[in-house]
Amino acid sequence: MVRPSAGPMFAALYGELTPHAWHDPEHDAYQLFHQRSLAMGWLDGLWGMNDAGWEHPGAAPGAGLAAWFQVGAGPVPGDRPLPVQPFLRCAADTAERVGRLRVSAVQVLLPVQGLDPAARPPYAPVPSMQTVHWFAERDPESRTAVEVAVSGGREPAVPALAPRLAERLRQLDQDVFVCGSHEAAGPQDLLAPPFDDSFWNGPGLHGVVLRGELVEWSCEAVGWLAETLADLVAGLGARSPLLLTVARAG
């Protein structure tokens, strides 16, 4: 079963982007992201291009926004996750094409409303689990402490999902993200996104913070975690966009 178009997906990379001396400013974020998406076969399949940039007028002062990307996520097949992992890979590739990127946090708007848990087949109730072994071959020293903020905006039910969300994560046969603790969160725990509240379901009044270890600090690992959390939260009854922020702890 193929669902209708999922909705807008937005990624913000925070940290430092030091442009190469030879970078041509005419090759902007939109152009490069579009070309990378097209080259990898992701454009007009997994997503349709909306906008991108290095700076954003809505970014909080001092937040350290390095780059941002906005697409329209395409229909999500029943046996596939939201395409967050390729989306963030494409975003990182774009930024790294023009300079040296050091990421401190990744923020993604997840169109959970485009997922139908009932359409998931028995062999893939959480489709991202089909790719979990991609992270099996890695340096054991690469594990990184992170804080994961999941905000439902004005949706008041999200904090109540925290215990069940943490439990379902622990029940999965994976160690990409090992959750150590969880707690309800409010606006003070959320990095304000660059976009307007009307774009999702903001402001970020209700959410949860998960603390634990990520298998490695990479956009691929963050993307896998985002895909997994989107399906788990949808399975718990959420039907509105979620704002996910994954930041290195300490």
Side-chain angles (χ1 to χ4, degrees):
M1 176 182 178
V2 177
R3 300 282 295 162
S5 297
M9 196 159 57
F10 190 105
L13 306 182
Y14 296 88
E16 297 178 5
L17 177 59
T18 305
H20 298 306
W22 41 261
H23 168 54
D24 184 349
E26 289 191 6
H27 298 155
D28 59 19
Y30 183 99
Q31 179 197 66
L32 292 172
F33 186 91
H34 182 277
Q35 291 180 351
R36 187 59 169 162
S37 299
L38 186 63
M40 299 303 292
W42 295 329
L43 191 65
D44 297 328
L46 297 184
W47 58 71
M49 190 70 195
N50 289 158
D51 207 353
W54 309 123
E55 300 176 349
H56 196 290
L65 180 66
W68 61 274
F69 306 88
Q70 180 185 326
V71 300
V76 180
D79 61 348
R80 298 296 303 150
L82 274 171
V84 192
Q85 196 171 167
F87 179 41
L88 292 182
R89 178 66 269 168
C90 193
D93 285 351
T94 299
E96 290 167 353
R97 176 59 76 185
V98 306
R100 184 169 180 264
L101 177 66
R102 299 185 64 179
V103 177
S104 58
V106 178
Q107 192 171 58
V108 192
L109 181 66
L110 303 172
V112 173
Q113 70 277 11
L115 299 177
D116 180 8
R120 296 312 196 192
Y123 63 85
V126 180
S128 56
M129 286 295 295
Q130 297 178 101
T131 61
V132 71
H133 295 300
W134 169 252
F135 300 99
E137 293 294 326
R138 87 279 180 178
D139 183 350
E141 300 298 319
S142 66
R143 299 199 69 85
T144 304
V146 295
E147 292 188 355
V148 182
V150 184
S151 177
R154 290 175 290 139
E155 174 52 61
V158 172
L161 301 178
R164 287 187 291 164
L165 178 59
E167 181 60 25
R168 292 199 178 187
L169 268 171
R170 296 186 184 104
Q171 290 172 350
L172 295 177
D173 185 17
Q174 60 86 26
D175 68 350
V176 179
F177 175 70
V178 177
C179 183
S181 66
H182 60 83
E183 61 187 46
Q188 73 279 1
D189 303 297
L190 177 67
L191 177 62
F195 44 80
D196 187 79
D197 289 341
S198 61
F199 186 67
W200 62 303
N201 190 34
L205 300 178
H206 307 286
V208 57
V209 171
L210 308 173
R211 294 183 176 87
E213 282 191 345
L214 196 61
V215 66
E216 63 186 26
W217 183 243
S218 68
C219 283
E220 286 91 346
V222 172
W224 185 93
L225 176 59
E227 293 172 351
T228 301
L229 289 175
D231 268 302
L232 292 179
V233 173
L236 291 170
R239 294 294 180 271
S240 62
L242 291 180
L243 186 64
L244 174 73
T245 307
V246 183
R248 299 188 74 156

